Amino acid sequence: MLQQQPLTGNGPSNGRGLGMSGHPGMHALNSVHHPSQRRSDGGDSGLEGTENGHENRRDIGDILQQIMTITDQSLDEAQAKLVLTLIVFIFQLCSLSMRNAQEDEPQDPQLVRLDNMLLAEGVAGPEKGGGAAAAVSAATSSGGMSPDSSLEHSDYKSKLSQIRSIYHTELEKYEQACTEFTTHVMNLLREQSRTRPVTPREIERMVGIIHRKFSTIQTQLKQSTCEAVMILRSRFLDARRKRRNFSKQATEGLNEYFYSHLSNPYPSEEAKEELAKQCGITVSQVSNWFGNKRIRYKKNIGKFQEEANLYAMKTALGGPQGNDSPHTPNSTGSGSFSLSGSADLFLGVPPVNGEQSAYQMGVQANGNWHGRNSPPSGASPHSDHSENSD
DNA sequence: CCACATGATTCTTG
DNA sequence: CAAGAATCATGTGG
C-alpha cells in the first residue's frame, strides 16, 4: 500500500505536504500539526497531562496558545494587561491543583530524541552548514548517487532550508514570547505583592510552570518539524524512482562504448567518468546502464545484433557525422572494410549458414565476459536474421 | 490501453 | 564491493 504518491513534482500542497510555500509565518508548520488540536494517536501522548487526569493542564495549554495568538495581533496594552491578569489568576488556580505535579524536568527523552534528529537533519544545527547536504547524502547512501540528481537535490535542499527557517523563526518567537510572558507575570505578581503576601516560592513555581508550558509548546514545534522533515525525506526518496530516458546523445555515447568494447564491456572508473561527463549523466547512471546493457545483451543477443552492427559500423567509420567522437581508446582505426582485424570490434555478422557468427567468435576470442553460460534455452540465438548489414 | 523498452532498485553471489 | 539477476515503475509507440 502507500503506493507512490502522486508527487508529480513541484506541487506545493499535494497531499498533506509541508504547506510551507504559502505563508512563511507562524502557521505554516502548525498546519501540519497544530499544537492546540489534539491528536489521539498515541504519538504525542505523554507530552501533556496524562497523569492524575489533570486535564486542565491541557486546557491551560490551549488557553495559553490562544492568548499567544491574541497577543500576536495588535491589542492595546490595557486589554493585554487585563488578559494577562486573568491568565495569572488561572495559573494560580492551576498551581494549586498541581501542587504535587512533578516539579522537576526530567529532560524528556522524547525531547532529546527530537533534538537529535533535528540536529542530524541539519535543521537545528548551525546555520546553512553542510548539514542538509550531509543529511541528504546519508539518506541516499545506499543509492550511490553522489553529486548528481542536482535537480531533486536542490529541491530537497531548498525545502529543507524552508523548514529550517520556519523552525528557527518559530523557536525564536516562542522563546521571546516566553520571556515576555514571564516578565509580565512577574510584574503582575509584584503588583499583587502590594496587596497580599507573595512568597518567593510562589513566584518560582509560577515561572517554572510557565517555562514548562512553553517548553511543551516548543516540543510540539520540534515534533512538527520532524514530521515535516520525514515527509519531505520520504518524498525525496520516493522521487528517486522517477525514471527519465536518457537523451539520444547519451544513449549513443554509451552504446558506442559498449559495442566497441564488446569483448570486455566493463569500463574502468575513469572511463565511466568520462562517459558520464560526455553523456551528461552520472557515473552511477553509467554503471547502471552498463549493468543493464550487459545483462540484456547477453540475454538476447539476437535482438541487439542490428544495434551492434550499427555501432560497430559507426565506430569503424570513425564516427558518422559530426558527433562527439569519444576518445574511446583504440577506435579501430583500421581500414573501412576489413572489419575483422581489430580486437574489440566485433561485427555481428549473423549466421551465414552454419558458420559461427562472427560476433560470437569475436567475443570468444577476447574473453567471453559472460562466462559462456548456456544461453537461455528458449532464446534461440540465431533466429532467422538473414539480412544483415550490407 | 497494451506491450515493450528502459532506467533504477534490490537482492544474491563470489 | 562490483557484477549478475530479478524486479519495479515509468516512458513510449502502436
Side-chain angles (χ1 to χ4, degrees):
Chain A
M1 36 230 75
L2 214 280
Q3 284 271 58
Q4 191 91 22
Q5 314 159 339
L7 70 67
T8 39
N10 50 2
S13 54
N14 31 4
R16 84 196 279 262
L18 342 140
M20 9 206 65
S21 46
H23 337 280
M26 178 152 183
H27 312 289
L29 271 173
N30 290 350
S31 68
V32 174
H33 173 193
H34 198 285
S36 65
Q37 88 192 24
R38 300 281 300 159
R39 305 164 31 143
S40 42
D41 58 20
D44 39 357
S45 63
L47 281 182
E48 310 206 27
T50 52
E51 45 198 282
N52 331 356
H54 280 255
E55 287 279 353
N56 42 359
R57 282 186 66 193
R58 188 229 269 140
D59 295 340
I60 296 290
D62 288 350
I63 292 168
L64 230 177
Q65 187 67 28
Q66 281 168 24
I67 297 304
M68 292 324 296
T69 332
I70 291 170
T71 49
D72 240 18
Q73 301 157 2
S74 49
L75 236 171
D76 51 3
E77 287 280 321
Q79 275 176 299
K81 211 152 186 190
L82 215 143
V83 173
L84 281 170
T85 313
L86 197 70
I87 295 301
V88 169
F89 179 65
I90 294 171
F91 260 74
Q92 281 167 343
L93 280 181
C94 180
S95 69
L96 282 182
S97 64
M98 284 173 57
R99 182 102 348 122
N100 40 6
Q102 86 285 18
E103 294 261 324
D104 52 339
E105 232 162 317
Q107 257 306 37
D108 189 350
Q110 181 167 7
L111 183 61
V112 176
R113 227 188 45 215
L114 288 175
D115 274 335
N116 284 343
M117 173 175 169
L118 289 175
L119 219 70
E121 288 312 319
V123 172
E127 267 305 313
K128 271 288 185 187
V136 172
S137 66
T140 68
S141 62
S142 63
M145 50 193 300
S146 7
D148 50 331
S149 60
S150 40
L151 222 137
E152 285 104 10
H153 222 94
S154 63
D155 202 35
Y156 178 89
K157 254 155 87 174
S158 77
K159 286 264 168 62
L160 195 69
S161 76
Q162 274 180 47
I163 293 178
R164 158 203 275 282
S165 83
I166 289 170
Y167 170 76
H168 279 126
T169 315
E170 291 302 301
L171 204 63
E172 210 171 307
K173 219 182 272 178
Y174 284 144
E175 231 137 61
Q176 197 183 328
C178 181
T179 54
E180 229 169 79
F181 190 72
T182 312
T183 316
H184 284 203
V185 169
M186 298 279 271
N187 283 342
L188 279 169
L189 281 177
R190 207 168 304 141
E191 271 178 36
Q192 280 193 9
S193 73
R194 275 189 243 138
T195 58
R196 73 173 178 92
V198 177
T199 64
R201 173 140 173 69
E202 190 178 345
I203 296 175
E204 201 177 305
R205 198 165 54 216
M206 279 306 255
V207 172
I209 291 169
I210 293 171
H211 282 180
R212 263 200 297 283
K213 212 60 224 176
F214 272 91
S215 87
T216 300
I217 293 172
Q218 278 192 0
T219 303
Q220 284 174 340
L221 168 68
K222 284 173 183 173
Q223 191 157 0
S224 297
T225 310
C226 276
E227 246 176 66
V229 171
M230 291 302 253
I231 291 169
L232 176 63
R233 222 165 87 158
S234 73
R235 188 162 301 172
F236 173 72
L237 290 176
D238 281 352
R240 288 190 312 172
R241 218 173 171 101
K242 276 265 184 197
R243 185 175 75 76
R244 193 167 302 180
N245 289 347
F246 295 158
S247 72
K248 194 148 191 184
Q249 254 188 340
T251 323
E252 292 209 351
L254 293 165
N255 272 318
E256 253 172 60
Y257 189 99
F258 181 80
Y259 287 113
S260 66
H261 296 72
L262 237 200
S263 61
N264 186 35
Y266 299 88
S268 65
E269 228 21 62
E270 278 178 18
K272 279 185 197 167
E273 271 169 41
E274 173 113 358
L275 276 168
K277 199 161 18 147
Q278 172 195 321
C279 301
I281 58 178
T282 71
V283 174
S284 36
Q285 282 178 307
V286 173
S287 297
N288 282 342
W289 190 91
F290 272 88
N292 283 324
K293 190 71 180 181
R294 277 192 300 264
I295 205 147
R296 282 165 185 164
Y297 176 84
K298 175 166 69 172
K299 235 177 185 160
N300 190 354
I301 295 178
K303 201 172 65 188
F304 290 93
Q305 273 185 12
E306 250 180 85
E307 195 175 78
N309 287 340
L310 201 127
Y311 281 100
M313 184 94 86
K314 264 186 188 173
T315 316
L317 297 178
Q321 44 238 101
N323 233 341
D324 45 2
S325 121
H327 316 311
T328 45
N330 79 335
S331 54
T332 70
S334 55
S336 6
F337 358 136
S338 70
L339 325 130
S340 42
S342 82
D344 278 314
L345 175 56
F346 107 65
L347 264 199
V349 185
V352 189
N353 282 347
E355 210 86 11
Q356 266 240 323
S357 57
Y359 69 85
Q360 267 181 333
M361 303 212 10
V363 169
Q364 264 174 344
N366 300 318
N368 33 7
W369 47 274
H370 53 284
R372 296 236 46 77
N373 269 352
S374 53
S377 46
S380 59
H382 33 252
S383 41
D384 46 339
H385 251 315
S386 47
E387 308 329 272
N388 63 36
S389 64
D390 64 336

